[in-house]
Amino acid sequence: MKIPVKFAGFVPLFVSLSFCALNAQARDAKYFLPIWEVVKTARASGQIGDDIRFYFGRQGHPHIREMLTRGVVTNKKTNRTNKSDRGACEWVMLSALIQLQERARREGGNAVINIKSYYKKQTFSSESQYECHAGTFSAGVALKGDVVRLER
């Protein structure tokens, strides 16, 4: 195929922009970050209340009085505009925890137990860390847990 002379100068530009777009889409940095930094900051600021407790991985918890919903999943994303990877990950983790808190309140629960990272349906279980993925333009955290009513 012959390219008209007036467009020939644009071919290298289009090719290089295409490679940039492929590189931008391919970035997927995986992080394992501390859970309690986000929870502590969120509780101190009032974004997460004391009425709903979070138990990660195999953390011990009081006796389950009633199992309300098993396998509740959150899948939150945030844009990375003016945020570092860590800042975006903390922001989106907070969003995921708020969603779990709201779900527990709606169902009459007082805790979410067995919380695990569940990014792209791959489970990562830890009592101290959550998994976050940061791309060029966004960051994401997915969590899975059980909403329950615990003995107090």
Side-chain angles (χ1 to χ4, degrees):
M1 178 173 150
K2 190 166 186 169
I3 299 172
V5 175
K6 65 181 180 179
F7 295 113
F10 289 107
V11 171
L13 176 64
F14 289 131
V15 170
S16 63
L17 287 175
S18 296
F19 284 119
C20 289
L22 288 174
N23 287 337
Q25 291 173 346
R27 183 173 184 272
D28 183 20
K30 184 191 300 188
Y31 296 97
F32 297 97
L33 300 169
I35 294 166
W36 297 110
E37 285 183 20
V38 176
V39 172
K40 180 180 162 187
T41 302
R43 287 205 192 278
S45 68
Q47 294 171 296
I48 292 178
D50 289 331
D51 59 325
I52 306 296
R53 296 289 176 190
F54 298 108
Y55 296 91
F56 292 84
R58 295 178 183 224
Q59 258 185 326
H61 53 74
H63 179 74
I64 298 171
R65 192 168 61 182
E66 185 179 359
M67 174 65 70
L68 299 170
T69 307
R70 288 187 191 276
V72 172
V73 175
T74 69
N75 187 3
K76 304 302 282 183
K77 304 277 189 239
T78 189
N79 70 51
R80 284 203 49 251
T81 305
N82 298 321
K83 295 180 192 109
S84 65
D85 282 0
R86 186 175 185 122
C89 285
E90 289 173 352
W91 182 268
V92 77
M93 176 61 166
L94 172 60
S95 181
L97 290 172
I98 289 170
Q99 186 175 10
L100 286 177
Q101 173 184 255
E102 290 170 355
R103 178 74 181 261
R105 284 178 179 158
R106 262 195 328 268
E107 295 187 17
N110 62 7
V112 183
I113 64 170
N114 304 322
I115 302 171
K116 300 169 182 68
S117 291
Y118 195 61
Y119 197 82
K120 293 187 178 178
K121 298 185 180 180
Q122 298 298 308
T123 301
F124 168 73
S125 182
S126 172
E127 290 77 37
S128 61
Q129 295 180 316
Y130 66 96
E131 182 177 351
C132 176
H133 288 247
T136 303
F137 302 108
S138 66
V141 167
L143 301 176
K144 184 176 185 178
D146 303 326
V147 175
V148 298
R149 192 170 302 126
L150 297 176
E151 299 285 335
R152 290 273 178 175

